[in-house]
Amino acid sequence: VYTTPQAVQLVERALGQIQLSDEVYVDDKGRYFDPLRPSVMPKGLNSKQEVLSERIEHEKAVRELLLSADVIVFTLGLTETWLRLSDEAILPIAPGVVAGNYSENQYKFKNFNYNENLESLEKFISLVHGVNPTCKILLTVSPVPLAATYENKHVCLASAASKAILRSVI
């Protein structure tokens, strides 16, 4: 989970408040990947059904965590992301990096600004406290810089801006 909107999306999925497309990526070797977690199974899985079953298990585990945690540590990482246009799913990495194929008809780049990140972080906290009112939430910002950016600027500038936004949101 790299962005605050992605965290909200995960919590909403785990709590059954939203359901996203069952689209999966297939690589050139016939291996299947979850666009919502493409790096989790780096070698892919054998079928779409396996991917979707793993997604359901992950959502169950997140739900259990939300209901039972005394403390959740959320390290905010990025402001940049990719959106799937069909359902506005927030993707952790650009389509085509691990698997899938980029198409400007299917995906768009998004760099969430201060207000969007603040709104998402407040919603994340509200969702967690809605199911677990005594859970403490510890917020940090990842020191890991962006490896690349789609922005029309040097990656060092994009990274510094992203981290400054996240620090100010916290």
Side-chain angles (χ1 to χ4, degrees), residues 91-136:
L91 307 177
I93 58 176
V97 173
V98 171
N101 295 299
Y102 173 74
S103 165
E104 63 183 34
N105 297 326
Q106 295 177 299
Y107 306 100
K108 74 176 178 181
F109 174 78
K110 173 73 174 157
N111 193 357
F112 293 105
N113 64 32
Y114 171 87
N115 289 329
E116 291 165 324
N117 278 284
L118 180 61
E119 180 181 314
S120 291
L121 184 57
E122 289 172 342
K123 185 170 185 178
F124 171 81
I125 293 168
S126 177
L127 286 166
V128 171
H129 286 158
V131 296
N132 187 346
T134 60
C135 182
K136 293 177 177 52

Side-chain angles (χ1 to χ4, degrees), residues 31-63:
R31 303 294 291 171
Y32 293 78
F33 297 82
D34 188 346
L36 305 177
R37 305 181 317 136
S39 302
V40 172
M41 310 266 181
K43 294 181 181 178
L45 296 171
N46 294 319
S47 69
K48 179 177 182 173
Q49 190 53 47
E50 274 188 74
V51 169
L52 297 177
S53 292
E54 287 290 331
R55 184 186 292 177
I56 289 168
E57 289 304 310
H58 178 247
E59 290 169 355
K60 285 180 187 175
V62 170
R63 179 176 172 76

Side-chain angles (χ1 to χ4, degrees), residues 156-167:
C156 291
L157 291 174
S159 189
S162 182
K163 300 304 178 172
I165 288 169
L166 296 175
R167 283 191 302 273

